[in-house]
């Protein structure tokens, strides 16, 4: 069988001892496998497997089915509660429960009403091990109420005016899907100018004459009942300015009143109202924000998020950018969103503050816990939400506070801790996480079992795997307590080790790279305190399948024959099949294609035969493939010369074979119409580097022989390549092999070094010779050494073909002379060169002496020391290292430890500078010598002090309590005084209205002060302050600030005066006083109102000739204007020559009465084609056909609801 690669593996710690795979039980590591045989024998508490949704909207025309399925051992029994009390289904003949299930079926189709069974239902599944409960299932029948009868007046508007056609659908369950159509059931076209809002209303940014129609109909579709209700049609008439003026001229020819064209106007919002609004949405829902504006020309809508960016992959724009939707909204999407409506005349914006709340959601739901007697475990229930949900526990459906006590459990907030459990501890626990937006309920059982180990993997399973691939041997197991797993190989084999194998937590044994010697029988043993189980599996490792002769690229003429080779080698125990593909598809069903055992032949090649041909070799365990491209060209009567690289040389022959040379001859291949310029000769050393070819020589293109120099003890093979102006040929076939005789090495190792790794050794290293350079078998090295300054003889040792030798027992850091000579069975190489090295270093023994410190200034010191004797260094001198640290603050007089600083001075320097010191501080230092091994002992600590420096600027400066003639300054001392403060200096000067500076006043303040009041200042005057501290060394950095004295005794404070940022006016001027500005604005507003009133009265009630005639001869047939119609509207019949009925200039002293509207059949929808029920609702059965949607549009206007899941109208 084919092995499957495991998705996860875990290597155990290294070790040579036998490794047992301990799968330790910590919290809930023991899981019951889904093995049917195992589940038949194990007792298990109930688990709810299927239930109806929490908010269950039913179709009142169908039977009610409330799902509740559970599993357990023994099978659980079921009971129900309704509205919190027991629901006795035996007493209701319409209610039945499915056999072996808790699902209720309520038969309301024969009799009964769905409303009777509205309520909250909960299912309980119980057996001897506990009780699991379902969610609270709220049953509600769907509703599709009718539209209330209403009388809709025709609407008449002037071209360019805005309009909102209300829909106001009846409230159904779930909410209806809204769409607008005409009486032919065709969708009304929508655009940036006309669109449907989320509330279902139809919005016109501005109306046009083509909007005139009598059948604007709003439809509400209720999916559950497959019912569509329609509103009464709305009639709209749009009158152009020219039409209005013609009508006015015909009826009021003696006036100069004409309608003006609708002027362009900037945008205003139709919805939402105002400048700001608030929107609240639940986490995970779709956040829908809407802005619809009117204006002329039609405004465009843009969206931004203040202080943030819109999520690119979750943001969707709908309804022509008027609706912004964010999918899967989260708390991070809270914030202010701004919609901007813009046209050529201006722009407005509306800010929508979005708050994202969250119903509870799981962070860690409790998981089933299987324990053995005496073990410990925990149930963890963690949820989050906004607001934070409350966690409560139940056991077997009963609040844990009133449930029977169990000494093995302890509750700690969201965790139940079990210790020393017994079989009576088995139960089902419920975790409830709830807040005002919803709840989560999870069942998790604790099942206490005592079971001996069982191995679930089939016995004697055979695993077949390809060599050099991983093998995975399964050992699925179960037991309680959790068994340990151990693997063995062979009948009497020892436990397998981690250094070769990988052990997985589920018991699987992994062989990372299977080899032939991994074939055999493996035994898996599972143990716990109740028993032992074992299982044997078998492994066979097969040779991989290979294509040893692959198809090659071919260019053939049309009508000719082509053959592709594909020779396969595979494991003899497996059956291989070879399949040919063309362009990754099957071969054409054409007799011209012939597939033989090792090749594919295509006869009478056509143009469409060109392409990629692939040979695929398959066995039951692996597959390999190789491809070649076939190019088909047209035949040419006279072939043009082919210019190509030469064909490879052939017939290579070796002659004149000597110990150090040989003569190679060859026959050139075809030069393909480009003369051969040179031949390149390469050799292979089959003895030392088989398969690698090296450059040997080059000869001119006119030669066919070459005398080659050879090295001793090499098994030579040669090949030749030809080169012309096009390129280099393929290599020739290799020549026969020729092995030269062995000889002594002609060179010695390079890179000889002598360095000690320990104080008492000398490590001699070198770069060894390669096999080609050895010149013979038995390559070794003679390593020789002696002390450089002694009279000792050379000490020598012969070592095998290695690259290192360690001389032990040497004195510390002594120079040595070293040489390494190569030798083989024939003899020695020439005398090697002598190099110098050193034995190992040790730490220095002596500290630097006579350490002196010269303080240069408050931040710099110079350190001098005497060098240590060279012999005491005991190694290569690296330099000297100074450790220094600040020991005491002179100003605070307290000791505190701070981190030491280090400076290293390379080589043999005996002095160095310490920069960056703090003034007025005590420092301590010592000096150490450093060699390649490390540091020597420290010199005695040397203390020194730095002198005072100038202080830093005061930490802060604030001006508080400004009055007419005084200001109070408060400050904090400098953070770095760098000495003893002697005093503060305050300088200040006034600033006049032209920002010119006045005379500078200098004031000295004692160092112990942090507050100072300046008196006798000028009122309402700005001052600039310069403030700094001083030590005995001099003044420090200054801090500046500005402030203003007040205007009068009322103490009108300029903004931020407490922070020293006063910005009040510098002059007392009545023109700048707030009360005067307010008075002037009120007067201007009053004058503007009077002008507007006069203008209105002049246009509506002014005395001019036509007005006087109307007052003197009032026409009794003049009809009063409708109060509810703000348009120019209807006119009387032209033949009557009567004045305007609507929009006429009615004298201000007449009473305007509202005109009764005539009833029409349109008001009752009789002009609409369609079939209706007696209750006036339209019934549509959906057959699956779909109309084509507009390019954009509002697909749903329903309010967001967690129980709503409606489809858009299609």
């Amino acid at each position: 069988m084919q092995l499957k690669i495991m998705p996860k593996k875990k290597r155990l710690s290294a070790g040579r001892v036998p490794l047992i795979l301990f799968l330790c039980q910590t919290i809930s590591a023991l899981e019951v496998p889904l093995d049917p045989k195992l589940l038949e024998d194990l007792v298990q508490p109930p688990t709810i497997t299927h239930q109806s949704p929490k908010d269950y909207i039913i179709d009142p025309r169908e039977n009610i089915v409330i799902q509740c399925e559970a599993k357990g051992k023994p099978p659980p029994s079921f009971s129900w509660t309704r509205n919190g009390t027991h629901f006795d289904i035996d007493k209701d003949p319409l209610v039945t429960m499915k056999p072996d299930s808790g699902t209720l079926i309520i038969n309301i189709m024969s009799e009964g009403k769905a409303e009777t069974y509205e309520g909250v239902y909960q299912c309980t599944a119980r057996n001897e091990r506990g009780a699991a409960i379902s969610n609270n299932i709220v049953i509600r029948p769907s509703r599709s109420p009718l539209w209330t009868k209403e009388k809709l007046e025709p609407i008449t508007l002037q071209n360019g005016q805005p309009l909102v056609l209300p829909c106001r659908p009846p409230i159904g369950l779930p909410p209806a899907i809204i769409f607008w159509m005409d009486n032919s059931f065709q969708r009304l076209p929508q655009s940036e100018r006309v669109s449907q809002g989320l509330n279902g209303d139809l919005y016109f940014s501005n109306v046009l004459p083509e909007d005139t129609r009598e059948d604007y109909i709003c439809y509400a579709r209720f999916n559950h009942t497959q019912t569509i209700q329609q509103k009464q049609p709305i009639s709209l008439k749009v009158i152009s300015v020219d039409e209005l003026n013609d009508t006015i001229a015909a009826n009021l020819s003696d006036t100069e009143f004409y309608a003006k064209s609708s002027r362009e106007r900037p945008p205003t919002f139709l919805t939402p109202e105002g400048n700001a609004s608030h929107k609240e949405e639940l986490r995970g829902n779709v956040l829908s924000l809407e802005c619809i504006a009117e204006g002329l020309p039609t405004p465009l809508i843009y969206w931004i998020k203040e202080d943030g960016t819109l999520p690119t992959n979750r943001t969707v724009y709908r309804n022509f950018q008027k609706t912004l939707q964010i999918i899967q909204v989260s708390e991070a999407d809270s914030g202010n969103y701004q919609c901007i409506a813009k046209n050529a005349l201006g722009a407005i914006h509306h800010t929508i503050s979005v708050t994202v709340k969250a119903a509870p959601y799981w962070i860690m739901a409790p998981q089933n816990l299987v324990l053995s007697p005496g073990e410990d475990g925990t149930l963890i229930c963690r949820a989050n939400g906004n607001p934070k949900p409350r966690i409560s526990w139940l056991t077997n459906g009963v609040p844990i506070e009133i449930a029977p006590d169990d000494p093995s459990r302890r509750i700690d907030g969201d965790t139940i801790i079990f210790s020393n459990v017994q079989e009576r501890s088995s139960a089902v626990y419920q975790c409830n996480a709830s807040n005002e937006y919803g709840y989560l309920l999870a069942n998790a059982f604790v099942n206490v079992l005592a079971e001996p180990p069982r191995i679930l993997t089939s016995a004697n399973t055979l695993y077949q795997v390809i060599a050099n691939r991983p093998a995975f041997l399964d050992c699925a197991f179960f037991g309680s307590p959790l068994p340990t797993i151990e693997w063995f190989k062979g009948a009497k084999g020892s436990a397998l080790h981690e250094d070769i194998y990988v052990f997985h937590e589920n018991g699987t044994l992994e062989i990372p790279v299977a080899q032939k010697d991994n074939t055999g029988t493996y035994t898996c043993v599972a143990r716990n305190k109740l028993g032992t189980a074992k299982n044997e599996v078998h492994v066979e490792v097969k040779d991989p399948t290979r294509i040893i002769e692959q198809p090659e690229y071919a260019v053939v003429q049309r009508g000719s024959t082509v053959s592709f080779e594909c020779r396969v080698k595979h494991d003899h125990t497996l059956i291989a099949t070879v399949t040919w593909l063309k362009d990754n598809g099957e071969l054409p069903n054409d007799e011209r294609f012939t597939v033989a055992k090792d090749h594919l032949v295509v006869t009478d090649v056509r143009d469409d035969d060109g392409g990629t041909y692939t040979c695929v070799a398959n066995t039951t365990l692996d597959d390999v493939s190789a491809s070649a491209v076939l190019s088909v060209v047209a035949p040419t009567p006279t072939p043009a010369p082919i210019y190509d690289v030469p064909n490879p040389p052939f017939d290579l022959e070796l002659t004149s074979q000597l110990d150090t040379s040989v003569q190679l001859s060859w026959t050139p291949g075809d030069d393909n119409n480009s003369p051969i310029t040179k031949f390149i000769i390469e050799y292979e050393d089959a003895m030392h580097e088989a398969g690698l070819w090296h450059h040997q020589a080059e000869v001119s293109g006119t030669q066919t022989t070459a005398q080659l120099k050879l090295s001793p003890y090499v098994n030579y093979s040669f090949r030749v390549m030809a080169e012309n102006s096009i390129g280099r040929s393929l290599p020739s076939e290799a020549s026969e092999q020729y092995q030269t005789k062995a000889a002594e090495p002609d060179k010695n190792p390079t890179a000889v070094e002598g360095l000690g790794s320990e104080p008492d050794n000398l490590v001699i290293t070198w770069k060894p010779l390669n096999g080609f350079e050895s010149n013979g078998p038995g390559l070794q090295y003679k390593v020789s050494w002696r002390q450089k300054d002694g009279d000792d003889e050379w000490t020598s040792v012969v070592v095998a073909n290695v690259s290192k030798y360690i001389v032990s027992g040497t004195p510390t850091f002594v120079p040595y002379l070293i040489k390494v000579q190569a030798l083989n069975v024939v003899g020695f190489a020439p005398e090697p060169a002598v190099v110098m090295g050193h034995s190992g270093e040790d730490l220095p023994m002596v500290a630097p002496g006579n350490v002196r410190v010269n303080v240069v200034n408050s931040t710099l010191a110079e350190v001098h020391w005497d060098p240590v004797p060279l012999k005491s260094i005991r190694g290569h001198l690296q330099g000297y290292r100074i450790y220094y640290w600040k020991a005491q603050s002179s100003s605070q007089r307290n000791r505190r430890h701070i981190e030491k600083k280090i400076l290293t001075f390379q080589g043999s320097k005996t002095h160095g500078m310490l920069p960056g010191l703090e003034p007025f501080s005590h420092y301590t230092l010592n000096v150490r010598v450093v060699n390649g091994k490390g540091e020597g002992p420290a010199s005695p600590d040397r203390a020194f002090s730095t002198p005072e420096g100038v202080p830093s600027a005061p930490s802060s400066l604030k001006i508080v309590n400004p009055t007419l003639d005084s200001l109070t300054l408060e400050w904090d001392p400098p953070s770095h005084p760098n000495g003893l403060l002697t005093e503060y200096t305050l300088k200040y000067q006034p600033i006049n209205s032209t920002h010119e500076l006045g005379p500078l006043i200098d004031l000295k303040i004692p160092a112990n002060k942090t507050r100072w009041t300046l008196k006798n200042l000028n009122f309402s005057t700005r001052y600039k302050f310069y403030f700094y501290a001083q030590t005995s060394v001099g003044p420090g950095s200054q801090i500046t600030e500005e402030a203003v004295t007040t205007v009068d005794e009322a103490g009108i404070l300029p903004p931020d005066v407490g922070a020293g940022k006063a910005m009040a006016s510098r002059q007392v001027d009545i023109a700048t006083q707030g009360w005067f500005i307010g008075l002037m604005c009120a007067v201007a507003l009053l004058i503007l109102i009077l002008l507007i009133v006069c203008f209105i009265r002049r246009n509506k009630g002014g005395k001019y000739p036509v007005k006087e005639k109307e007052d003197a001869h009032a026409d009794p047939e003049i009809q009063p204007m409708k109060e509810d119609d703000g348009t120019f509207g209807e006119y009387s019949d032209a033949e009557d020559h009567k004045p305007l009925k609507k929009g006429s200039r009615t004298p201000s002293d007449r009473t305007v009465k509202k005109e009764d509207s005539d009833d029409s059949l349109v008001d009752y929808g009789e002009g609409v084609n369609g079939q209706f029920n007696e209750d006036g609702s339209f019934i549509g059965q959906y057959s699956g056909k779909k109309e084509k949607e507009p390019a954009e549009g509002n697909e749903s206007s329903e309010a967001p609801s967690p129980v709503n899941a409606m489809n858009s109208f299609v």
Side-chain angles (χ1 to χ4, degrees), residues 774-827:
S774 65
N775 287 0
L779 177 64
Q780 294 178 304
Y781 300 98
K782 179 183 179 183
V783 184
S784 305
W785 67 91
R786 68 178 179 86
Q787 288 191 24
K788 177 177 179 294
D789 299 325
D791 297 330
D792 298 341
E793 295 293 328
W794 288 93
T795 302
S796 300
V797 63
V798 176
V799 298
N801 187 12
V802 294
S803 61
K804 180 173 70 174
Y805 182 77
I806 301 176
V807 180
S808 302
T810 63
T812 301
F813 197 65
V814 172
Y816 276 84
L817 298 179
I818 303 164
K819 57 184 179 180
V820 180
Q821 187 177 24
L823 68 151
N824 59 20
V825 296
V826 179

Side-chain angles (χ1 to χ4, degrees), residues 106-392:
I106 305 174
N107 185 6
I108 63 171
M109 294 185 66
S110 58
E111 56 179 311
K113 294 183 178 180
E115 291 77 5
T116 307
Y117 294 94
E118 284 192 64
V120 180
Y121 293 77
Q122 189 172 44
C123 171
T124 302
R126 186 185 306 275
N127 69 8
E128 63 187 36
R129 287 267 165 163
I133 61 175
S134 70
N135 293 319
N136 285 331
I137 303 170
V138 180
I139 302 296
R140 295 186 294 171
S142 62
R143 298 181 180 89
S144 52
L146 297 176
W147 240 293
T148 56
K149 293 293 184 180
E150 56 182 335
K151 190 175 182 180
L152 301 177
E153 299 292 341
I155 300 173
T156 304
L157 277 185
Q158 182 184 337
N159 182 19
Q161 295 301 308
L163 175 64
V164 180
L165 296 182
C167 180
R168 302 188 184 95
I171 299 175
L173 184 67
I177 296 174
I178 306 302
F179 47 92
W180 286 81
M181 295 196 299
D182 59 16
N183 57 14
S184 299
F185 298 104
Q186 298 299 315
R187 276 214 181 222
L188 295 177
Q190 298 189 22
S191 62
E192 293 172 343
R193 184 180 62 86
V194 183
S195 60
Q196 178 183 318
L198 293 176
N199 63 355
D201 292 350
L202 192 62
Y203 292 86
F204 294 76
S205 294
N206 49 78
V207 295
L208 297 176
E210 54 261 33
D211 297 327
T212 298
R213 64 191 310 147
E214 297 181 352
D215 55 352
Y216 284 94
I217 306 174
C218 181
Y219 289 86
R221 186 183 73 186
F222 298 92
N223 275 356
H224 265 64
T225 57
Q226 296 184 343
T227 302
I228 296 178
Q229 309 283 9
Q230 79 166 58
K231 186 183 178 74
Q232 294 295 330
I234 301 175
S235 175
L236 171 63
K237 182 177 182 181
V238 180
I239 300 177
S240 66
V241 175
D242 292 340
E243 183 182 355
L244 201 58
N245 284 332
D246 290 345
T247 305
I248 294 173
N251 292 276
L252 297 175
S253 57
D254 56 344
T255 72
E256 296 179 356
F257 182 85
Y258 289 94
K260 297 181 179 180
S261 62
S262 182
R263 293 184 179 178
E264 293 185 342
R265 58 187 182 279
T268 58
F269 282 114
L270 296 173
T271 183
E273 299 177 351
N275 295 326
S277 59
H278 180 74
K279 174 79 172 181
E280 188 174 284
E281 190 55 82
L282 287 183
R283 179 181 186 269
N285 287 353
V286 176
L287 172 66
S288 295
L289 305 179
E290 179 182 60
C291 281
I292 301 178
E294 64 93 1
L296 192 64
T298 302
L300 299 178
I301 302 296
Y302 304 91
W303 292 89
I304 61 172
K305 183 180 182 184
E306 298 178 5
D307 302 326
T309 57
L310 295 171
T312 306
N313 56 344
R314 294 188 292 115
T315 301
V316 179
Y317 296 99
R318 301 194 184 279
N319 200 16
F320 307 96
Q321 293 264 123
K322 299 173 188 178
T323 302
L324 167 69
Q325 289 186 337
I326 298 179
I327 301 169
Q328 286 292 322
V329 69
S330 66
E331 289 86 340
D333 296 316
S334 296
N336 291 332
Y337 293 78
Q338 195 175 96
C339 62
I340 303 165
K342 182 186 297 184
N343 68 6
L345 276 70
I348 58 170
H349 70 272
H350 180 94
T351 300
I352 305 175
S353 176
V354 173
T355 302
V356 178
K357 299 291 187 177
Y361 57 91
W362 289 122
I363 295 176
M364 181 184 295
Q367 303 295 318
N368 292 335
L369 193 62
V370 180
L371 301 172
S372 62
E375 287 188 327
D376 304 335
T378 59
L379 286 180
I380 301 175
C381 176
R382 288 180 186 154
N384 203 356
N386 185 11
K388 185 75 175 177
R390 185 178 67 87
I391 303 294
S392 60

Side-chain angles (χ1 to χ4, degrees), residues 601-653:
V601 178
V602 184
T603 60
D604 190 18
V605 174
R606 300 197 297 247
D607 289 338
D608 57 358
D609 293 334
T612 301
Y613 288 83
T614 303
C615 164
V616 181
N618 290 281
T619 67
T620 55
L621 297 182
D622 65 342
D623 60 82
V624 290
S625 63
S627 299
V629 175
L630 172 63
S631 296
V632 181
V633 298
T636 54
T638 305
I642 298 175
Y643 297 94
D644 201 354
V645 299
N647 292 344
F650 55 94
D651 287 344
L652 274 65
E653 185 179 2

Side-chain angles (χ1 to χ4, degrees), residues 1036-1090:
S1037 302
Q1038 69 179 12
I1039 184 172
T1040 63
E1041 198 55 89
E1042 293 185 19
V1044 181
T1045 54
T1046 58
V1047 176
D1048 51 34
E1049 289 299 338
I1052 303 172
L1053 294 179
D1056 300 329
V1057 70
K1061 304 293 183 181
M1063 298 297 293
S1065 170
R1066 303 185 185 93
Q1067 299 181 9
V1068 180
D1069 189 348
I1070 191 171
T1072 64
Q1073 299 306 301
W1075 62 268
F1076 180 76
I1077 295 173
L1079 179 60
M1080 290 301 100
C1081 291
V1083 171
L1085 180 60
L1086 183 58
I1087 293 172
L1088 180 60
I1089 293 172
L1090 290 174

Side-chain angles (χ1 to χ4, degrees), residues 5 83 94 119 134 150 200 230 245 366 416 442 451 485 581 922 1136:
I5 298 177
N83 298 328
L94 300 183
S134 70
E150 56 182 335
Q230 79 166 58
N245 284 332
I416 301 181
E451 294 288 333
I485 301 299
L581 305 175
H922 286 253
D1136 295 335

